[in-house]
Amino acid sequence: MKKTSTRLADGRELIYYDLRDDRVRDAVDRRPLERTHTTSEIRRDPLLGDSIAVASHRQGRTYHPPADECPLCPTRGERLSEIPDSSYDVVVFENRFPSLAGDSGRCEVVCFTSDHDASFADLTGEQARLVLDAWTDRTSELSHLPCVEQVFCFENRGPEIGVTLGHPHGQIYAYPFTTPRTALMLRSLAAHKDATGGENLFDAVLERELAGDRLVLEGEHWAAFVPYAAHWPYEVHLYPKRRVPDLLALDEAARTEFPQVYLELLRRFDRIFGTDEPPTPYIAAWHQAPFGALAEFDGVVRDDFALHLELFTIRRTSGKLKFLAGSESGMNVFINDVPPERAAERLREVASS
């Protein structure tokens, strides 16, 4: 992998990740952009104890542009975009309309391929490995920023999810706090460790799922399963079999196998509802241990946390979506229409031949 960092016309950082070491990246951003100005602010809810970001400048962000005006395609001729070069393998750049900025963190965009009509599932194993390497590199770099406590790599896919740019891409949020969902995991981890005299909860969950009927696919170094208490109609958790706290700690064997397992999982997601349905909308979310202090979680250290990816869709059946209505949005109590065991069975049924 070759990494080349440059600057866009408004001062934002852009990084090329190339498969070939001889690629030269010296294209200049020719757009007449002024410096970006953001209004991101973090506010803490005194009743719930969590934090939210207020980012009013995002109201003006690009919204469903036509394909020939996509800002994530390469620059070609006088068609200028966020990527100055005429081609790329993987690109990461600072979001022009970030939810988090300055002392409030950082937001980045990850373009998986220059092919506008592709999806992550269309990538080759070599391309998917390059994306993994880019996620890992960005996790490392962002973790060293003074304000950053947790790094979150994720992909939103499909207009049903709320995606406003059709080009295959994901995002990275570098939060200045430990996110509420991670804090819940850490509290459960601490309680289980205390109650069992030191047993790791993530290890216990993975051991149970490997032996159960919700296992979807398994490699030598990775395992994917539908969790016992899945919140979403089709939800899969992907774990490395050797517990590590973050992407940085994955060994070479796990990195090598990851593209094979993950691409197969994504391709199965696209077959859940049959070939006549539009591509399955999904969210793919990496959960990594925070880089900040864990003193509030009694007895827990970073290495107790287990890196894993959660992949889920809001489509519950053909032509129907799962909406977060009163119980989910008002009380955070999910009601799942698809039994997890049936979801796992379906994901095994659609395995590629």
Side-chain angles (χ1 to χ4, degrees):
M1 178 187 77
K2 181 181 180 181
K3 175 183 175 183
T4 307
S5 179
T6 185
R7 292 282 170 181
L8 297 173
D10 55 9
R12 288 176 293 132
E13 185 179 18
L14 179 143
I15 306 162
Y16 294 97
Y17 292 90
D18 285 301
L19 291 167
R20 288 171 41 188
D21 290 337
D22 61 350
R23 291 305 300 262
V24 176
R25 298 297 186 182
D26 56 6
V28 176
D29 185 3
R30 294 181 280 132
R31 296 172 297 170
L33 298 180
E34 296 181 354
R35 286 271 176 176
T36 56
H37 297 282
T38 61
T39 57
S40 180
E41 176 190 359
I42 300 297
R43 297 187 180 184
R44 187 168 179 81
D45 187 317
L47 295 180
L48 298 179
D50 58 10
S51 299
I52 63 104
V54 179
S56 59
H57 62 276
R58 285 174 51 79
Q59 288 281 36
R61 66 188 184 274
T62 308
Y63 187 79
H64 291 300
D68 61 356
E69 296 178 16
C70 175
L72 305 185
C73 287
T75 289
R76 290 184 179 141
E78 295 307 309
R79 176 182 164 184
L80 308 180
S81 76
E82 289 279 68
I83 296 92
D85 216 323
S86 59
S87 66
Y88 63 85
D89 292 333
V90 173
V91 165
V92 177
F93 60 87
E94 289 184 78
N95 198 321
R96 192 177 177 187
F97 303 97
S99 302
L100 309 166
D103 292 338
S104 297
R106 175 158 157 153
C107 293
E108 298 182 339
V109 176
V110 184
C111 297
F112 304 138
T113 171
S114 60
D115 185 352
H116 180 85
D117 297 316
S119 68
F120 201 117
D122 295 324
L123 300 182
T124 65
E126 186 179 39
Q127 289 173 309
R129 169 61 190 263
L130 184 61
V131 175
L132 175 63
D133 290 342
W135 283 331
T136 304
D137 181 72
R138 296 316 302 153
T139 296
S140 176
E141 292 290 328
L142 293 170
S143 70
H144 288 94
L145 296 179
C147 66
V148 171
E149 189 165 312
Q150 186 172 0
V151 179
F152 176 46
C153 307
F154 65 100
E155 179 192 1
N156 297 327
R157 195 261 196 127
E160 300 93 335
I161 298 294
V163 175
T164 57
L165 297 176
H167 196 101
H169 73 287
Q171 299 180 65
I172 302 175
Y173 278 22
Y175 296 102
F177 51 79
T178 297
T179 60
R181 188 172 176 85
T182 302
L184 286 174
M185 292 183 196
L186 291 168
R187 291 188 188 102
S188 296
L189 186 63
H192 185 84
K193 190 174 185 178
D194 180 64
T196 60
E199 182 182 68
N200 185 278
L201 179 58
F202 287 110
D203 291 351
V205 167
L206 180 57
E207 182 179 0
R208 180 181 69 177
E209 297 297 354
L210 284 171
D213 58 356
R214 289 180 298 274
L215 189 66
V216 173
L217 63 93
E218 181 181 4
E220 184 179 353
H221 304 284
W222 294 86
F225 57 87
V226 177
Y228 172 74
H231 288 54
W232 300 94
Y234 291 90
E235 175 182 340
V236 176
H237 293 190
L238 177 62
Y239 277 66
K241 289 184 176 179
R242 182 179 71 87
R243 172 165 45 90
V244 294
D246 52 39
L247 290 166
L248 303 173
L250 286 173
D251 61 23
E252 184 57 31
R255 292 180 183 280
T256 299
E257 187 181 74
F258 170 77
Q260 172 190 343
V261 175
Y262 188 48
L263 290 173
E264 170 63 18
L265 193 57
L266 292 179
R267 291 162 186 166
R268 291 192 193 188
F269 253 59
D270 272 342
R271 293 193 289 267
I272 293 173
F273 306 102
T275 57
D276 294 334
E277 284 287 315
T280 302
Y282 66 72
I283 293 174
W286 281 108
H287 291 263
Q288 305 192 77
F291 289 94
L294 300 179
E296 64 180 292
F297 307 104
D298 292 340
V300 171
V301 297
R302 282 196 86 246
D303 285 345
D304 289 333
F305 194 87
L307 166 77
H308 62 284
L309 182 140
E310 297 185 6
L311 173 69
F312 59 90
T313 180
I314 62 172
R315 186 178 291 163
R316 56 187 175 88
T317 189
S318 180
K320 297 179 181 179
L321 300 180
K322 166 65 179 177
F323 293 103
L324 300 188
S327 185
E328 292 87 356
S329 295
M331 283 294 161
N332 200 28
V333 178
F334 277 67
I335 300 168
N336 193 348
D337 303 290
V338 181
E341 292 73 22
R342 174 54 190 147
E345 181 182 21
R346 177 59 181 159
L347 285 161
R348 290 192 296 268
E349 288 174 353
V350 296
S352 59
S353 58

